[in-house]
C-alpha cells in the first residue's frame, strides 16, 4: 500500500470546484485511490474519484488528508493528486 498526505489549499476546502477537479484526475488514473482525513480510521476513507463522496467528507481549508492505493506502482500518480489538493483552486 502507498500513502501520501496532503494539506487542502483551496480556501473553501474540498467542495464543488476543487472536488470536481480532484475527482476527475483520480478517475483518469485507472487505479483505485481512497481519501480520508488524516485523523479518521482507514475504513472511513472514500473513493477519490467520487465528487459526492469527496464533498461528503466536509474537508476544510488547511486540513490534512491521506490518499491511499494498493497499487505499489502508483507513487507518481498519488503525487499528482497531492499537487492538485495542495493548489488553491479558488484563487
Amino acid at each position: 500500500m502507498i500513502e501520501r498526505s496532503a494539506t487542502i489549499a483551496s480556501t473553501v476546502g474540498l467542495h464543488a470546484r476543487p472536488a470536481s477537479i480532484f475527482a476527475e484526475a483520480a478517475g483518469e488514473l485507472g487505479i483505485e485511490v481512497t481519501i480520508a482525513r488524516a485523523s479518521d480510521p482507514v475504513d472511513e476513507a472514500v473513493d477519490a474519484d467520487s465528487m459526492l463522496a469527496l464533498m461528503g467528507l466536509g474537508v476544510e481549508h488547511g486540513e490534512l488528508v491521506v490518499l491511499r492505493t494498493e497499487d505499489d506502482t502508483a507513487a507518481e500518480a498519488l503525487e499528482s493528486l497531492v499537487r492538485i489538493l495542495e493548489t488553491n483552486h479558488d484563487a
Side-chain angles (χ1 to χ4, degrees):
M1 176 180 286
I2 300 174
E3 287 187 5
R4 294 292 183 272
S5 297
T7 302
I8 303 300
S10 290
T11 55
V12 296
L14 199 51
H15 297 284
R17 184 165 188 246
S20 174
I21 293 167
F22 179 79
E24 183 177 342
E28 290 174 355
L29 293 177
I31 59 171
E32 185 176 324
V33 178
T34 62
I35 183 173
R37 280 188 173 92
S39 59
D40 288 348
V42 174
D43 64 347
E44 290 186 17
V46 300
D47 290 335
D49 62 354
S50 170
M51 185 176 147
L52 291 176
L54 291 170
M55 291 176 61
L57 287 174
V59 179
E60 300 294 330
H61 170 77
E63 284 194 80
L64 187 66
V65 295
V66 177
L67 306 173
R68 295 180 180 92
T69 184
E70 296 290 333
D71 186 335
D72 291 333
T73 66
E76 189 174 316
L78 285 190
E79 289 299 329
S80 70
L81 294 177
V82 166
R83 284 191 295 275
I84 291 170
L85 294 174
E86 293 186 342
T87 299
N88 183 359
H89 297 284
D90 303 314

